[in-house]
Amino acid sequence: MEKIGKSIITTILASILVGSLAGCGNGADKTSSGTKDDKKPSVVTIGYQQIPNDEILAKSKNWYEKELGVKVKFVQFDSGKDVNTAMTSKSLDIALLGSTPASIGISQNLPYEVFWIHDVIGKNEALVAKNKANINSIKDLKGKKVAVPFGSTTHYSLLSELKAEKVSANDVTVLDMQPQDIYAAWQRGEIDAAYVWEPTLAKLIALDGKEIVNSGTLAEKGIVTGDIGIVNKEFAKKYPNIVTKYVKLQIKAYDYFKSNADDAAQSVAKELNISKEDSKNQMNELIWLSAKEEISDKYLGTSSKKGEFAKTLKDTADFLVQQKQIQSAPELSEFEKAIDPEFIESALKK
């Protein structure tokens, strides 16, 4: 597990991150400054990650400023843990993070709500091991060094699979690393395995790695994870039209991917600086949802009746409490309150 020194360094880096974002970000409590119209902020700050889904496709097409009708500032993150830190400081208006850090954020009463599911995670997140490490199953992780970003969807998947296979986490050296650090440690031969997402995942496999299990397989076993959209509550209340337009953009990206998969892959490849083939493979590894699927009982549900995704977030939080990753988890009703499908409903009406 993390050493004390590592925790101190992480705290310092988080403080620097918050400070830098607070200085340059829009901030939901500052969005009205310099605006002439209360219904339109001067700038929308969006936190994103390099995941080849609807949000990145729309970004690669330069659709945001035109469709939202305002200046857009993108801030890149490597994990949801840092997104939670930035949301705490109100440095972001809209952001993407995994379902695991979202369940943590809701448990800690952070000032945001869930309004979109960018993707259900499939084969694009996986546990990979070095061929020479003699790891062929989860049980073979005993005595090995495994890297994973703590508080992420892959962290939840790893811990859940260890439990399912009756392998004690105490028998595995689990190291907290961000994707770029995992890649560097892998190159230096400092770790035996890692549970991580694309594009780092493909890089590890290319460097003498092999897949042991992926999140798509775990989803079939009931261990569901996803990449979701969150919005600062104050921003959503003040600028509901902007949030609805953002949702319409994701719907547009979904439709474009379904009808123009080849060009969509090319655009995302350029945005992520990967090959078109890798882009297409990674996009197909994700489970894309239509807007109607988003507000079905299986996922977010409707404003009048929340769906099963609230229970997924609750179950994730409860598991993290059992693993002593967080102190407590609220009741299911609090997770249902943190989900707001009204923007999808509004987008489908227009």
Side-chain angles (χ1 to χ4, degrees):
M1 291 294 178
E2 279 187 300
K3 302 294 184 184
I4 293 177
K6 172 73 173 178
S7 298
I8 293 173
I9 292 172
T10 301
T11 302
I12 293 171
L13 290 175
S15 299
I16 293 172
L17 172 67
V18 171
S20 62
L21 286 174
C24 65
N26 181 41
D29 58 341
K30 300 176 183 177
T31 47
S32 61
S33 130
T35 61
K36 296 179 180 179
D37 183 354
D38 285 342
K39 295 182 180 180
K40 185 180 293 187
S42 58
V43 59
V44 177
T45 305
I46 299 176
Y48 77 100
Q49 297 186 50
Q50 289 192 313
I51 300 170
N53 55 20
D54 49 6
E55 185 177 63
I56 284 291
L57 175 55
K59 183 175 184 295
S60 73
K61 290 293 186 181
N62 297 312
W63 288 342
Y64 281 92
E65 292 197 350
K66 180 180 179 181
E67 300 287 342
L68 299 184
V70 295
K71 181 180 179 181
V72 175
K73 177 182 177 62
F74 284 101
V75 182
Q76 184 182 332
F77 290 86
D78 291 318
S79 72
K81 181 166 63 175
D82 291 339
V83 172
N84 274 339
T85 300
M87 272 290 184
T88 301
S89 71
K90 297 184 179 181
S91 299
L92 298 172
D93 299 315
I94 295 171
L96 175 150
L97 79 173
S99 52
T100 300
S103 70
I104 293 172
I106 294 169
S107 297
Q108 296 174 343
N109 199 30
L110 296 191
Y112 62 67
E113 58 190 19
V114 176
F115 73 101
W116 183 254
I117 300 176
H118 289 284
D119 59 78
V120 174
I121 297 172
K123 296 179 181 179
N124 61 304
E125 291 190 358
L127 173 68
V128 292
K130 288 197 168 185
N131 283 307
K132 63 181 180 182
N134 295 319
I135 298 173
N136 298 300
S137 69
I138 292 294
K139 295 184 184 297
D140 294 333
L141 293 180
K142 290 182 179 180
K144 304 294 185 179
K145 294 180 179 179
V146 184
V148 65
F150 279 20
S152 68
T153 48
T154 53
H155 189 202
Y156 170 66
S157 296
L158 174 64
L159 294 178
S160 298
E161 186 64 356
L162 286 173
K163 182 180 179 181
E165 294 296 322
K166 297 181 172 54
V167 177
S168 171
N170 294 327
D171 293 333
V172 183
T173 301
V174 183
L175 303 171
D176 181 13
M177 293 184 185
Q178 294 302 303
Q180 70 272 20
D181 299 320
I182 289 175
Y183 180 60
W186 184 278
Q187 289 179 303
R188 294 192 297 265
E190 296 173 352
I191 55 177
D192 302 301
Y195 207 132
V196 71
W197 51 83
E198 298 288 8
T200 303
L201 175 59
K203 294 178 181 178
L204 301 188
I205 291 176
L207 290 175
D208 193 43
K210 62 180 179 182
E211 180 184 302
I212 304 302
V213 67
N214 66 63
S215 294
T217 301
L218 297 191
E220 294 173 1
K221 297 167 61 174
I223 304 172
V224 180
T225 53
D227 293 309
I228 61 180
I230 57 172
V231 60
N232 179 282
K233 290 180 180 179
E234 291 180 17
F235 183 90
K237 184 176 181 180
K238 190 167 187 178
Y239 306 113
N241 288 337
I242 293 293
V243 185
T244 298
K245 287 179 180 179
Y246 176 93
V247 168
K248 292 179 74 174
L249 258 178
Q250 309 315 305
I251 296 173
K252 179 179 179 179
Y254 170 88
D255 291 339
Y256 193 87
F257 171 65
K258 291 299 181 180
S259 60
N260 300 278
D262 198 61
D263 184 70
Q266 181 63 54
S267 296
V268 169
K270 185 176 180 180
E271 178 72 24
L272 299 182
N273 194 28
I274 58 178
S275 71
K276 181 180 175 181
E277 182 180 359
D278 284 343
S279 174
K280 182 177 289 186
N281 289 338
Q282 291 176 30
M283 293 172 80
N284 287 327
E285 286 171 352
L286 295 169
I287 300 171
W288 296 57
L289 302 177
S290 69
K292 289 185 178 180
E293 287 177 305
E294 296 262 349
I295 55 174
S296 68
D297 290 340
K298 186 176 180 180
Y299 294 106
L300 298 183
T302 64
S303 296
S304 58
K305 184 183 178 183
K306 302 299 172 64
E308 287 297 312
F309 198 70
K311 188 175 185 301
T312 296
L313 294 173
K314 166 64 173 169
D315 290 345
T316 302
D318 287 342
F319 179 81
L320 293 175
V321 171
Q322 294 173 9
Q323 296 296 315
K324 298 181 179 180
Q325 297 298 316
I326 58 176
Q327 292 184 343
S328 62
E331 296 298 319
L332 175 62
S333 60
E334 293 303 309
F335 288 93
E336 290 177 334
K337 289 177 184 177
I339 291 176
D340 191 351
E342 70 169 300
F343 302 107
I344 304 176
E345 294 166 338
S346 296
L348 288 174
K349 289 177 183 176
K350 297 179 179 180

